[in-house]
Amino acid sequence: MTTRQRKPLFERIKQGLEEGIAHTTGELTLKTVEIPNDPPEIDAKTLSALRTRAGMSQAVFARMLSVSTKTLQSWEQGLRDPSAASRRLIQMFSEHPELVCKSVGLPSITLKGVKVKGKRIVVNRHQAKVKSKSK
């Protein structure tokens, strides 16, 4: 295994100063990027309702999220909380289920009555259920 040698401190400081001067003179522009918000929270009841609304078994929903069925069960029982990465994927599924389904090789669906409100995912229990899109 080869390791890269780090530049000496003087060269790194010199490079930083040169980049700072280039930016000041307009030769170099810095890109400003906004950091996205944290993924929305989802409680056990809402997660279970979302899965049910999608018409998926725990095994299929867990596989779609790339987690074990036991992990999904512990989320739905409120014993554990999904990680930020899992919450982001659940958010994407809530907003664009057809995209996530297509990405993982499942038939495309649309969800009605599911939305992200503020920092939470909400499933309206009075809305019509899932619609499968046939090709």
Side-chain angles (χ1 to χ4, degrees):
M1 181 169 132
T2 60
T3 57
R4 267 182 57 192
Q5 290 291 338
R6 212 154 85 152
K7 290 182 183 179
L9 178 62
F10 172 76
E11 288 187 30
R12 288 183 282 151
I13 292 173
K14 180 182 172 197
Q15 180 182 0
L17 289 171
E18 288 171 349
E19 289 173 359
I21 291 168
H23 173 66
T24 304
T25 60
E27 297 171 31
L28 179 69
T29 58
L30 300 178
K31 183 176 179 183
T32 303
V33 178
E34 284 192 38
I35 298 174
N37 294 328
D38 290 337
E41 298 292 327
I42 186 163
D43 60 40
K45 285 173 98 173
T46 305
L47 181 62
S48 180
L50 175 64
R51 178 184 59 77
T52 302
R53 179 64 49 90
M56 294 182 182
S57 66
Q58 286 181 329
V60 171
F61 196 67
R63 186 72 183 249
M64 181 187 70
L65 297 174
S66 295
V67 298
S68 72
T69 304
K70 293 270 187 203
T71 297
L72 178 65
Q73 289 170 349
S74 69
W75 293 347
E76 288 187 355
Q77 293 168 4
L79 302 175
R80 293 176 53 200
D81 293 324
S83 67
S86 294
R87 289 193 333 263
R88 182 67 76 198
L89 184 54
I90 293 166
Q91 175 191 10
M92 290 172 60
F93 177 72
S94 300
E95 294 176 347
H96 304 286
E98 68 287 346
L99 182 74
V100 175
C101 287
K102 182 180 177 184
S103 297
V104 299
L106 292 173
S108 186
I109 63 171
T110 57
L111 293 174
K112 296 209 183 265
V114 178
K115 60 185 164 193
V116 176
K117 260 184 142 175
K119 294 186 175 190
R120 300 206 58 79
I121 296 174
V122 179
V123 177
N124 185 338
R125 299 187 198 318
H126 302 292
Q127 288 280 346
K129 290 198 176 186
V130 67
K131 278 188 179 178
S132 286
K133 289 184 179 177
S134 55
K135 292 183 179 183

